[in-house]
Amino acid sequence: MAKTTLAYTCSNCGASHKKWAGRCETCGEWNSIQEEAPLAAGPKGKTLGANKGRKIPLGDLSTVDAPLPRGLSGIQELDRVLGGGLVPSSAILVGGDPGIGKSTLLLQAAASFARNGQKAIYISGEEASSQIRMRAQRLELADAPVKLATETNLRDILTTLEDERPDIAIIDSIQTMWSDHVDSAPGSVSQVRATAHELTTFAKRRGVSVILVGHVTKEGQIAGPRVVEHMVDTVLYFEGERGHQFRILRAVKNRYGPADEIGVFEMTGMGLQQVTNPSALFLGERDNPAAGSIVFAGIEGSRPLLVEIQALVAQSSLATPRRAVVGWDSARLSMILAVLESRCGISFAGLDVYLNIAGGLRISEPAADLAVAAALISARQDRALPKDTVVFGEISLSGALRPISQAENRLKEATKLGFSNAYAPSRMKLASESGMNVQKIEDIAQFVENCFGTIEQ
Ligand code: TYD
Ligand code: MG
């Protein structure tokens, strides 16, 4: 009998080790190394090369395939994030914190696809059928021809899907599924890897779109390592701040469409409702101009989005003043504070700084730099900018403003929402200013001078 050697894998970074250890040498994480079942040996246990394989047919790049037909759910925010609908035989991972609304979204999507004439199967390993039916009833989806099952055994699920041949199969969640080929508990790295692999290969082989739900661990990764992300075609994250009703569906990887596209939803008593004009919603809570509050004209995916950036600056009682950020990168905040200090002489030493993106949104665009700087100075000086002003531009370490993309779209959206003034980088050609009064700014010192005058220390 062939000798079976056990493999050990780190559940944090995915590195494999020859023997168990308390700490992973690759990523330094403690207690993350788990035992894994060995891979099955090849025919008669021979190594690769000893058996001759089958010759695979090779094609060339010039072959023209018809454009991929896509299935539309009718939920436009979802279809757009998918890159214009669901591609047949694709595998999609929807990740998010527990309780954020993944099951609700996918039940609504399944019902929508089914009402559009596609055959949809929803398999839950987490909730009882009666619970799901009750939710469907409450969301008025009970009449949709969705097929429902509660099961965790992958072999039974694949046999059922093979037999039923649906267009879409939803597996909620991948962490509850188990395959009897693998000798470890559901949710472990090897189970998640094996079940996701079988489901994605099934999707390709049988032309079924498979949507996997994945819970995110506290480190923000799906099932520990990013084992599932590279296997699937599309990775969507469903995110939102607790206490806020907004939920954002973000494409972080998409083989069939642009990544970084977002869909905005609102969690209501009647499930998730689409928000088709998110700018109006994110600015909805603004009334009078307040010091420290600046409107940033951003772009999320293909869509312009106006958001409010709020800053608060207060005397610190700590030896190391606090820098707290929600919805933005804290390293970037430190950079902006350093640039303000060394290029404009505006010091935040001895002051606590709080930065918040309103509405629970998370921004990663560097174009928000200027708006953040404006919010910080406005808060420090206790002076508000006029209410009808939007700001955008990337700040380089020299203090110069760098040009950014899609300025026209940003201005157009701002005009639509009643704004009339904009501060934008000067090194940028604008095809149209959309009737806005655009102040072209060379560097951060000029911006401070224009908006706030001379700043006393
Ligand atoms: P759920 O979809 O079960 O989350 P997940 O699958 O990501 O773990 O969503 C659960 C939350 O959503 C729960 O806190 C209640 C809330 N919710 C509503 O507010 N309204 C609704 O109509 C539904 C169905 C859920
Ligand atoms: Mg769920």
Side-chain angles (χ1 to χ4, degrees), residues 102-103 126-127 172 215:
K102 302 179 293 299
S103 304
E126 303 203 328
E127 290 163 289
D172 186 3
H215 292 295

Short mmCIF file of all heavy atoms in Angstrom, two decimals, residues 102-103 126-127 172 215, ligand 2:
data_model
loop_
_atom_site.label_atom_id
_atom_site.label_comp_id
_atom_site.label_asym_id
_atom_site.label_seq_id
_atom_site.Cartn_x
_atom_site.Cartn_y
_atom_site.Cartn_z
N LYS A 102 -26.38 38.44 3.12
CA LYS A 102 -26.05 37.64 1.94
C LYS A 102 -27.20 36.71 1.55
O LYS A 102 -27.57 36.62 0.38
CB LYS A 102 -24.78 36.80 2.18
CG LYS A 102 -23.57 37.62 2.53
CD LYS A 102 -22.36 36.76 2.77
CE LYS A 102 -22.45 35.87 4.00
NZ LYS A 102 -22.59 36.59 5.27
N SER A 103 -27.75 36.02 2.56
CA SER A 103 -28.83 35.08 2.25
C SER A 103 -30.05 35.82 1.72
O SER A 103 -30.72 35.34 0.80
CB SER A 103 -29.23 34.30 3.50
OG SER A 103 -28.11 33.65 4.04
N GLU A 126 -27.50 26.23 6.18
CA GLU A 126 -27.51 26.99 7.45
C GLU A 126 -28.89 27.11 8.06
O GLU A 126 -29.03 27.13 9.26
CB GLU A 126 -26.98 28.41 7.19
CG GLU A 126 -25.60 28.39 6.60
CD GLU A 126 -24.84 29.67 6.83
OE1 GLU A 126 -25.50 30.72 6.88
OE2 GLU A 126 -23.62 29.59 6.94
N GLU A 127 -29.90 27.27 7.20
CA GLU A 127 -31.24 27.51 7.74
C GLU A 127 -32.17 26.37 7.36
O GLU A 127 -31.94 25.71 6.35
CB GLU A 127 -31.79 28.82 7.17
CG GLU A 127 -31.08 30.04 7.71
CD GLU A 127 -31.34 31.27 6.87
OE1 GLU A 127 -30.81 31.33 5.75
OE2 GLU A 127 -32.06 32.15 7.32
N ASP A 172 -25.46 28.11 -0.02
CA ASP A 172 -25.39 29.01 1.14
C ASP A 172 -25.11 28.19 2.40
O ASP A 172 -25.99 27.55 2.92
CB ASP A 172 -26.72 29.76 1.26
CG ASP A 172 -26.71 30.82 2.33
OD1 ASP A 172 -25.65 31.02 2.94
OD2 ASP A 172 -27.77 31.45 2.54
N HIS A 215 -18.63 33.10 4.36
CA HIS A 215 -18.54 34.02 5.49
C HIS A 215 -17.11 34.50 5.61
O HIS A 215 -16.17 33.76 5.40
CB HIS A 215 -18.95 33.34 6.79
CG HIS A 215 -20.39 33.02 6.83
ND1 HIS A 215 -21.35 34.00 6.83
CD2 HIS A 215 -21.04 31.85 6.82
CE1 HIS A 215 -22.53 33.42 6.84
NE2 HIS A 215 -22.38 32.12 6.83
MG MG B 2 -27.04 33.51 5.74
#
